[in-house]
Amino acid sequence: MKRLLMAGAALAMALSMTMSATAQDKKTLAFVVNGASDFWKIAEAGVKKAQEELPNYTLELKYPEQAAAAIQQRLMDDLVAAGVSAIMVSAIDPKTSTEALDRVGGQVPLFTTDSDAPQSKRIAYIGSSNVELGKNAGQLMLKALPEGGKCVGFVGLPGADNARERIEGVKEVIKGSKVELVDVRGDDIDQTRAKRNVEDALAAMPDVTCMVGFYSYNTPRIYEVLKESGKLGQIKVIGFDEDPITLGGVREGTIEGTVVQNPYEWGYQGMKLMAKFLEGDKAGIPADGLIIVPGQVIDKANVDAFETELKARVGK
């Protein structure tokens, strides 16, 4: 009996050690976002879907404590020190962070999404063409203001490539028209500041006829301020992304339309791309390093169908 107990204990210990070793053999892939926003919950759903198909990997989506390049960089340094195998990041301020990004990319495969860092040693970018998204928004502005007007934009990180390129796309489309983008105000992904920026712009520029929310949470803050001030429906609103408040405004006609991306696919395709790269399969990396996931314009005509599809993917 004693021998049986000892044999059983030895077997249990061996199984435990085998399971532990197997767990340790799993490589970790990290998706580092640019700040706290509900927008990233959609990407997280894509990561979860990829996890189902990549049982030999551990997939993580990480939020920096604050939307600051230095803090994001520290998070990536910590991940590298902890043994992460590859990182995909939405770079907060790529122009000032090239050296730091290259340091990470020199230790583990580095990919970008949402906001690219083309001057860095990143392997590939997977995400939207932000210039094209900006052009889509510019078309919505022209449609909303056929007689012209003054517009103010609001954005989280003016230095990020996604912000800069969206603004560039807008300006390219409205150039030569009577529609003007007279100011763009940044908030560093601070929700309180984002709302205050709208309040301040409304007070300082009584002749503004249009407001553009360049980040997912900017349009809901615009909506709230205009509703509180009694100007909802009087000032044209153009949005980005699929926040529920934004989609509700599109449905009721108080928001002209919103330009949406596909963060679900960034999370899903990005994780699978990194796994294949680690396995030696580089066929998915294009020569120019750009994997563009198309966006879409949502207006009153297609908002219900879009929201139904979105809920099917990520739940209510």
Side-chain angles (χ1 to χ4, degrees):
M1 182 68 179
K2 186 176 180 180
R3 287 181 179 178
L4 286 173
L5 288 172
M6 290 177 67
L11 178 60
M13 184 176 293
L15 285 171
S16 176
M17 291 175 67
T18 301
M19 291 173 65
S20 176
T22 301
Q24 289 176 2
D25 286 343
K26 280 191 175 185
K27 293 180 178 179
T28 299
L29 310 179
F31 186 153
V32 178
V33 306
N34 58 8
S37 170
D38 285 348
F39 172 78
W40 292 116
K41 291 180 180 178
I42 303 170
E44 192 168 358
V47 172
K48 288 180 179 177
K49 176 62 176 176
Q51 180 69 85
E52 294 174 6
E53 299 177 20
L54 297 170
N56 295 326
Y57 292 85
T58 298
L59 310 185
E60 299 179 346
L61 190 142
K62 295 288 188 179
Y63 291 84
E65 298 171 8
Q66 186 180 338
I71 293 175
Q72 185 185 61
Q73 186 60 47
R74 188 177 69 215
L75 172 57
M76 288 193 289
D77 288 339
D78 289 345
L79 287 169
V80 171
V84 72
S85 295
I87 293 175
M88 183 167 69
V89 62
S90 171
I92 288 177
D93 192 355
K95 287 187 176 180
T96 64
S97 306
T98 300
E99 184 178 342
L101 289 168
D102 284 349
R103 186 174 69 249
V104 172
Q107 299 174 82
V108 299
L110 179 68
F111 295 74
T112 55
T113 186
D114 182 44
S115 179
D116 196 10
Q119 302 306 314
S120 72
K121 295 178 181 177
R122 61 98 170 111
I123 293 163
Y125 165 81
I126 179 168
S128 303
S129 166
N130 284 290
V131 173
E132 291 302 316
L133 296 180
K135 289 179 180 179
N136 291 337
Q139 294 292 347
L140 284 172
M141 293 161 70
L142 292 177
K143 183 179 178 181
L145 300 166
E147 303 301 320
K150 293 183 177 180
C151 301
V152 180
F154 304 91
V155 71
L157 302 165
D161 272 24
N162 59 357
R164 180 183 58 77
E165 291 174 356
R166 290 177 194 182
I167 295 166
E168 177 187 320
V170 163
K171 288 182 176 179
E172 185 175 334
V173 168
I174 66 174
K175 184 178 180 180
S177 75
K178 293 182 179 180
V179 176
E180 300 176 83
L181 183 64
V182 296
D183 191 16
V184 178
R185 304 189 175 198
D187 54 60
D188 293 326
I189 312 187
D190 181 326
Q191 300 287 325
T192 301
R193 184 177 165 192
K195 186 175 182 180
R196 187 170 64 245
N197 279 350
V198 182
E199 294 168 340
D200 292 347
L202 201 58
M205 291 177 276
D207 59 342
V208 67
T209 54
C210 162
M211 291 185 169
V212 184
F214 283 101
Y215 273 15
S216 62
Y217 60 86
N218 287 124
T219 308
R221 302 297 83 77
I222 292 170
Y223 182 94
E224 290 167 1
V225 172
L226 294 182
K227 187 173 184 179
E228 291 167 4
S229 63
K231 295 190 176 182
L232 190 63
Q234 298 176 29
I235 293 176
K236 303 296 184 180
V237 180
I238 289 31
F240 276 79
D241 302 317
E242 54 278 84
D243 186 277
I245 293 176
T246 300
L247 294 179
V250 171
R251 182 177 294 105
E252 69 185 18
T254 53
I255 295 175
E256 296 298 311
T258 185
V259 183
V260 302
Q261 306 178 83
N262 199 336
Y264 179 93
E265 290 298 332
W266 306 348
Y268 175 70
Q269 293 186 32
M271 294 294 108
K272 298 198 75 174
L273 182 69
M274 288 198 289
K276 286 183 178 180
F277 185 87
L278 289 174
E279 293 162 7
D281 182 355
K282 301 179 182 180
I285 309 296
D288 63 1
L290 299 175
I291 301 168
I292 301 303
V293 180
Q296 184 181 2
V297 175
I298 304 301
D299 57 21
K300 201 168 185 178
N302 61 359
V303 64
D304 289 334
F306 172 77
E307 195 161 30
T308 297
E309 182 183 355
L310 180 66
K311 287 179 178 178
R313 275 187 159 184
V314 302
K316 297 182 180 181

